[in-house]
Structure formats: structure tokens, C-alpha cells
Amino acid sequence: MDNENLYIGCHVSMSGPEYYLGSVKEALSYEANTFMFYTGAPQNTIRLPLERLRIDEGRALIKQSGLDESKIVVHAPYIINIANQLNVDTYELGKKHLLSELKRTYAFGPKILVLHPGSHVGTGEENGLESIVKALDEVLDQDGTDVKIALETMAGKGSEMGTSFEQLKQIISSIKHPERVGVCLDTCHINDNNMDVANFDEVLSNFDKVIGLDKLLVVHVNDSKNPLGAHKDRHENIGYGYLGFETLNKVVHHPLLKGIPMILETPYYEGNPPYKKEIEMFRKQVFEDWR
Ligand code: FE
Ligand code: FE
Ligand code: ZN
């Protein structure tokens, strides 16, 4: 069993009174060696000032526990939508919050910020791409950090952008700072978007051909409640969905993905987090029916 260079964790909360210190403790309680968090609520942009978030204590615990801070991931709030300029206020607000999230990520220490590319809401794919490129150019000109944005592969609900490798490639090759942008591959989303994760070698070789494997910054490891091509985006616990444990285990342990943070975003089961069990299954490479 080769778990060298395996960085596996899950999304954790960040709430009072311990805030970031609590996030790190939560990750450690699952025996994770990385994690993902939101710098506030995922669904809004209300953000507490950094001074209140116990960042220094969290970072001290990260160091003391031997975690590699560069493998820790931040997720931007999902209400940011820079893929259309239909509502100028929403677009401007999206850019403002993206800029602020880059700076906040930098202040916490991680170097990767996951971002949903957004929805074009009927303005069309071309328009969507143009809007995203314009916004990324403006924001990355101003932020002054070395944090990378990982554009997430989306499930293709409604008019979501980021549904094909070609689209993501087009964004990355059109922006002024391509070195600052990569991709977050979500196994549930690509399944729902008609990519066959069971043939993961093929998916990866296609990713490499179109975007380049060096651009893969994070993997979201989720099973899916829905079959190939469903465009639904409903995550399932590992081994209980359409992808299954063996397929996802191959993703987690893929030799070409060594060192890339693997983040679980699977649902709580009967009120309890599944992460300790799911992380253990991937380390042992054995499925255990725990539900
Ligand atoms: Fe996401
Ligand atoms: Fe995801
Ligand atoms: Zn999702």
C-alpha cells in the first residue's frame, strides 16, 4: 500500500469560537492530512475580519501536526458569478469578492482558491467565456498575491460554464496571467457531465491533451447520486453512488496525481460526518460497508 505523497482530506467548517483553529482540529480529527474550507459562509459574502479568525493558532497547529500548508485549499463562495454581465452589479460584486477572497486566502496561508466559473444565464457560451476572461484579467492584475485560482469542472446544471476541458482551456489560454489559473476536477461533476470516471486513464489523458496535467491543482473526490450525464450535481458517500469505491480509489491513488490534494465533499449521513471512515478506506484501499 503506497500512501506516500497522498494528500487526502475533506471540506471542514470554520465557525466560532475557534474559527480556523477549529477547522484544523476538525481535519485532524478525521486523520486528514489536508482540508478545504470557506473563509465564511459558502452561500454569502459576509466575511468576518481576519483578526477574529484565529489564523495564527490554526497555522501553528498545522505546522506542529506536520501538515503541508501548500496542499490546503480554500473554496470561494458560490454566489460569485463572473460569467455574465447581464446584471452589472452582480458582475462587479463577483469581481470584488473574488479579489477579496484571493487576499483572504493569502492571509490564511494556502495557495489554491477553488472557483466556480459561473453561469452565462442565457447570454451564450461565447459571452460567458469573454466575461470570465475579462473578470480574471482585472482581478489578477490587482490582487498582488501568488494564490492560484482553480476553476472547477461543473456538472452542467442550467447554463453553468466549465463543463468541458476545452472551455476551461480556452479560458486559461485567453487570460493575461495563465500561470495563476488551473483546474479543480470534481469526480461527481464530470460524471454528471458525461465523462466516464470508470475509464479514468482516458479522462486524464484527455485532460492532459487539452489542458495539460500541470494545470490540475485539486481533485474533489465525490461519488454521485446520479448516472453518467445526468447534469444534476448531487454528491453521494464514497461507494454508495454510481461511481463506486473501486473507481474512486483508482482516482485517489492514480500515479499521475501524486501530491495533488484530494478533497472529499460527500454528504453527512444521519447527521454525522463520513470523512474519518472515507479517508481510512482510501488509505487502506478497501471498501467497508458502514452505512
Ligand atoms: Fe465547488
Ligand atoms: Fe466540488
Ligand atoms: Zn457539486
Side-chain angles (χ1 to χ4, degrees):
M1 264 172 274
D2 179 16
N3 285 324
E4 208 192 325
N5 274 313
L6 176 63
Y7 294 90
I8 185 154
C10 59
H11 61 176
V12 296
S13 58
M14 191 184 62
S15 51
E18 292 202 299
Y19 295 108
Y20 197 45
L21 177 61
S23 306
V24 181
K25 283 184 182 174
E26 186 184 343
L28 293 172
S29 78
Y30 305 139
E31 285 162 48
N33 61 352
T34 183
F35 60 91
M36 181 174 82
F37 68 103
Y38 290 83
T39 79
Q43 67 277 15
N44 67 44
T45 54
I46 301 163
R47 292 292 179 263
L48 284 174
L50 294 168
E51 306 79 64
R52 288 190 48 196
L53 297 177
R54 304 184 68 173
I55 296 174
D56 290 347
E57 292 162 273
R59 293 184 86 175
L61 184 57
I62 286 168
K63 227 181 173 174
Q64 189 198 316
S65 314
L67 299 194
D68 181 346
E69 196 170 62
S70 72
K71 307 293 180 184
I72 296 168
V73 179
V74 178
H75 198 306
Y78 28 79
I79 56 145
I80 293 180
N81 187 357
I82 52 168
N84 76 84
Q85 296 164 67
L86 218 51
N87 183 329
V88 181
D89 290 343
T90 310
Y91 188 65
E92 292 301 320
L93 214 68
K95 285 190 293 185
K96 187 180 142 212
H97 289 307
L98 180 56
L99 182 62
S100 145
E101 281 300 303
L102 281 166
K103 291 180 176 168
R104 286 172 73 84
T105 301
Y106 182 79
F108 277 88
K111 298 294 181 203
I112 306 168
L113 176 66
V114 172
L115 175 71
H116 294 178
S119 297
H120 66 67
V121 295
T123 60
E125 204 180 300
E126 273 314 303
N127 228 295
L129 289 172
E130 258 170 55
S131 293
I132 295 167
V133 168
K134 187 166 166 269
L136 289 177
D137 280 346
E138 279 176 46
V139 170
L140 293 174
D141 262 345
Q142 291 175 62
D143 74 308
T145 77
D146 57 353
V147 173
K148 288 186 179 179
I149 292 175
L151 297 171
E152 185 163 356
T153 56
M154 302 309 288
K157 277 185 302 177
S159 61
E160 268 175 353
M161 301 291 295
T163 50
S164 69
F165 294 160
E166 284 76 11
Q167 240 180 29
L168 293 166
K169 171 63 186 180
Q170 206 178 325
I171 296 168
I172 294 169
S173 56
S174 305
I175 54 179
K176 283 192 274 176
H177 301 282
E179 76 287 354
R180 296 281 310 280
V181 177
V183 172
C184 166
L185 189 79
D186 186 310
T187 56
C188 168
H189 297 176
I190 63 172
N191 167 76
D192 285 23
N193 207 21
N194 221 4
M195 291 184 215
D196 188 5
V197 186
N199 289 320
F200 194 62
D201 281 335
E202 206 179 299
V203 172
L204 260 198
S205 100
N206 193 30
F207 187 103
D208 193 33
K209 240 182 281 162
V210 178
I211 307 177
L213 262 188
D214 58 315
K215 285 294 186 194
L216 185 49
L217 304 180
V218 191
V219 175
H220 283 170
V221 184
N222 301 307
D223 213 327
S224 176
K225 284 192 199 290
N226 293 286
L228 193 66
H231 301 295
K232 291 276 205 243
D233 190 5
R234 292 188 62 215
H235 303 184
E236 180 56 285
N237 290 120
I238 303 301
Y240 292 94
Y242 277 84
L243 297 181
F245 179 77
E246 291 310 322
T247 289
L248 291 167
N249 188 55
K250 271 185 202 142
V251 173
V252 167
H253 291 279
H254 200 286
L256 292 175
L257 302 187
K258 271 193 193 308
I260 294 177
M262 301 281 160
I263 305 290
L264 297 154
E265 302 173 295
T266 48
Y268 273 40
Y269 186 72
E270 292 182 341
N272 297 311
Y275 310 118
K276 189 170 186 193
K277 185 47 83 187
E278 291 180 335
I279 289 168
E280 184 194 301
M281 291 193 307
F282 281 131
R283 287 228 174 87
K284 290 186 175 160
Q285 304 206 51
V286 180
F287 178 69
E288 193 189 310
D289 187 5
W290 59 274
R291 287 200 339 192

